[in-house]
Amino acid sequence: MSVNRKLWAALFLAGLAAPFLIYPVFVMQLLCFALFACAFNLLIGYTGLLSFGHAAFFGGAAYVTGYLVKNAGLTPELGVIVGTLAAGLMGYIFGILTIRRQGIYFAMITLALAQVIYFIALKAPFTGGEDGLQDVPRGMFLGLVDLGHTYHVAGKPLELNLYYFVFIIFCIGFWIIHRAIHSPFGQILKAIRENEPRAISLGYKVERLKLLAFVISASLAGTAGATKSLVFQLASLTDVSWHTSGEVVLMTLLGGLGTVLGPVVGAFTVVALQAELSAFGSWVTVVIGVTFVVCVLSFRRGFVGEVLEKIRTRPPGQND
C-alpha cells in the first residue's frame, strides 16, 4: 500500500473513531466547516478566483434545507440534496454575473450579491428574521434511522446516527473535490490559474470551465451548510453573513492554499480556537486575527503547504 493510501486509510479510521474520543457535536461542526473550506479552496486554490460571498451558498442552503425539512416534511437526505441543488443554482446565477470579471472586481461583486442574500434572509417572512430558522428536525434517514437518537456509551451520551450521517456526507464531498482536482478538469483549472491567456490560446473554453468550477464549489459549500442546519437544528443570519465568508478565507489560507488537506487543517484550527476561547466573548476575533497574522508571516504557504514544501526540498538521501 502506498504512503498516500495509508494516510487516507488512517484519516478514515480516525474519523470513524472520533465521536468516541471527542465531543461529537464539535467534530460534526468541524466536518461541516472543513467541507466548506475544501469547496472554497477548489475555487481560489485551483482556479484562482477569490470569492468574498461564499457564505451565501453555505447559509442559503442551510435555510432551504431547514425550511423544507421543518415545513415540508422532507427526510434529511432529501433536504441536504435539495439544499445542495439550490446552492448550485445560486452559484450558476452568481457565476453568470461575475465570471467575466477578475481580481478585486470579481471579489467585490460576489460580496455584493452575498449581501443581497443576507438581506433576503433578514427580511423574508419564512426565514425567522433575526431569530433564524429554529427547531429544525433531524428526521429519519431513509425513513429508517432516527438521526436524533442518542446512545449511551460508557456513561456518555453520543449522537452516533447523526455523526456518521455527517461523516458520510463529508467523505462524499471530499472525494468529489479530490477527484476533480486530480482529473484532467483539475489540471486545466490549474493552467487557467497560472496563465489564463495561454489556456485560451490552447483552445480551452475558459469562461465555461471557470463557471463549472464556481458551480461545483457553490454546490459543495451548500452541502456543508445544509448539513450544519441539521446538526445544530438552526439556520441563522450568521450562516449568510460576510463574517462567515471571511472565516472560510482564513481557514483556507491558514491550512494551505491549493493543497488537498490544508483547508481541513485550517478549519480545525479556527473551529478549535473559537471553541476554546468562547469564554472571552468578542476577544475571540482579536485572538484569531493575531493568530492569522503570525501564521501568515511564519508559514507563508500555510501549515500543510509548508510541510509539503519541506518534503519536496528534502535532499534525496533523506527521503526514506
Side-chain angles (χ1 to χ4, degrees), residues 251-300:
M251 292 172 185
T252 306
L253 292 178
L254 280 179
L257 201 66
T259 62
V260 178
L261 284 176
V264 178
V265 176
F268 177 83
T269 303
V270 174
V271 172
L273 282 174
Q274 289 175 339
E276 291 297 323
L277 302 175
S278 58
F280 292 94
S282 59
W283 283 96
V284 174
T285 306
V286 177
V287 174
I288 292 177
V290 172
T291 303
F292 174 65
V293 172
V294 172
C295 290
V296 166
L297 293 176
S298 306
F299 309 99
R300 293 182 177 274

Side-chain angles (χ1 to χ4, degrees), residues 140-222:
M140 303 285 289
F141 176 56
L142 298 176
L144 300 172
V145 181
D146 183 7
L147 296 185
H149 182 72
T150 301
Y151 296 89
H152 292 273
V153 180
K156 294 193 301 182
L158 300 177
E159 298 169 314
L160 296 180
N161 291 345
L162 180 62
Y163 172 79
Y164 288 115
F165 173 75
V166 174
F167 182 62
I168 290 170
I169 290 175
F170 170 78
C171 289
I172 293 172
F174 187 83
W175 178 83
I176 291 172
I177 293 171
H178 184 272
R179 184 71 187 87
I181 289 170
H182 293 90
S183 67
F185 169 69
Q187 300 305 311
I188 296 171
L189 291 183
K190 292 178 186 177
I192 294 172
R193 178 195 64 193
E194 296 299 327
N195 195 328
E196 185 173 330
R198 184 173 183 179
I200 294 173
S201 69
L202 291 173
Y204 293 114
K205 305 292 185 181
V206 168
E207 288 186 3
R208 186 180 301 173
L209 292 168
K210 289 198 296 185
L211 178 60
L212 179 57
F214 194 93
V215 171
I216 294 173
S217 177
S219 299
L220 292 172

